[in-house]
């Protein structure tokens, strides 16, 4: 249907359905959909049982078990998604994510000159690309059955480095890859 040919009254009476590239059941044969998603996540604070504790209290020099603790971690995820439906029942989906993340840390005082007692680590880059198939087994008026299968391609970096207490260009932990 060409929406330009509808009157204002007809446009306002339409049921509008939000479509994202992951909703394969809403697509029709030969259709393409391209979308963008942005997600932001920030993690901060520590709990021991039900009690909030400061990062400093977890450091070894303050009686805690750790030499380094994170103060805060932020992640931004930008995802370009595309879907193509070769039939009314089958859709092919691809997701291409780009991640920007940073962490701030505290460490026990020491002679290491590479970083101070507080230091930050930042990484960014392409993450693992996902390929999925969605197949609509049943489509009724109020119910539908859709099956998904997919694979994640290991396109993200696993050799990120940064300045840490281990030195310049030291391998970063898994969470920063």
């Amino acid at each position: 249907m060409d929406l330009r040919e509808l009157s204002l009254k007809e446009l306002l009476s339409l049921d509008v359905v939000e479509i994202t590239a992951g909703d394969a059941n809403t697509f029709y044969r030969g259709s393409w959909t391209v979308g963008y998603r942005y997600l932001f996540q920030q993690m901060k604070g520590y709990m021991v049982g039900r009690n909030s504790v400061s990062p400093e209290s977890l450091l070894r020099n303050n009686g805690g078990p750790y030499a380094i603790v994170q103060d805060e971690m932020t992640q931004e995820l930008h995802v370009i998604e595309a879907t193509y439906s070769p039939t009314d029942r089958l859709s092919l989906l691809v997701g291409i994510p780009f991640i920007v993340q940073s962490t701030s840390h505290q460490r026990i005082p020491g002679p290491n000159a590479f970083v101070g007692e507080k230091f930050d680590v930042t990484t960014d880059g392409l993450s693992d690309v996902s390929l999925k198939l969605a197949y609509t087994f049943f489509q009724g008026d109020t119910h539908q059955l859709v099956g998904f299968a997919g694979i994640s391609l290991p396109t993200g970096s696993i050799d990120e480095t940064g300045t840490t207490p281990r030195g310049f260009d030291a391998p970063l932990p898994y969470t920063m890859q």
Side-chain angles (χ1 to χ4, degrees):
M1 172 193 310
D2 190 343
L3 297 177
R4 295 176 296 170
E5 297 172 3
L6 298 177
S7 69
L8 180 58
K9 183 178 179 180
E10 291 169 320
L11 281 172
L12 293 174
S13 69
L14 290 176
D15 285 330
V16 178
V17 177
E18 180 182 352
I19 297 176
T20 66
D23 295 333
N25 55 324
T26 59
F27 299 116
Y28 303 100
R29 180 185 358 231
S31 68
W32 277 93
T33 300
V34 177
Y36 168 79
R37 276 189 304 139
Y38 173 77
L39 300 161
F40 177 82
Q41 187 175 21
Q42 183 175 40
M43 293 152 276
K44 191 174 185 178
Y46 288 92
M47 302 286 289
V48 174
R50 294 183 180 199
N51 301 316
S52 182
V53 298
S54 70
E56 295 83 10
S57 69
L58 298 173
L59 289 171
R60 227 180 264 148
N61 62 327
N62 293 327
Y66 303 107
I68 298 174
V69 294
Q70 286 184 358
D71 285 330
E72 181 178 333
M73 181 175 186
T74 59
Q75 292 180 324
E76 294 180 77
L77 177 63
H78 304 268
V79 183
I80 301 293
E81 300 173 308
T83 301
Y84 175 69
S85 299
T87 72
D88 287 340
R89 293 185 174 270
L90 178 67
S91 294
L92 313 169
L93 302 91
V94 63
I96 304 169
F98 185 86
I99 294 180
V100 178
Q101 53 190 2
S102 63
T103 57
S104 60
H105 301 82
Q106 291 186 44
R107 72 180 190 105
I108 58 175
N112 190 326
F114 291 113
V115 296
E117 291 178 24
K118 292 186 179 242
F119 65 98
D120 297 329
V121 176
T122 301
T123 59
D124 59 47
L126 182 68
S127 188
D128 293 347
V129 172
S130 64
L131 301 175
K132 298 177 189 171
L133 295 173
Y135 187 79
T136 304
F137 293 100
F138 170 78
Q139 178 77 44
D141 291 338
T142 59
H143 295 83
Q144 58 192 2
L145 178 61
V146 180
F148 287 89
I151 187 170
S152 181
L153 304 176
T155 54
S157 173
I158 58 168
D159 57 2
E160 294 292 319
T161 61
T163 301
T164 72
R166 293 181 180 171
F168 298 106
D169 291 323
L172 296 179
Y174 171 78
T175 55
M176 295 301 291
Q177 297 297 325

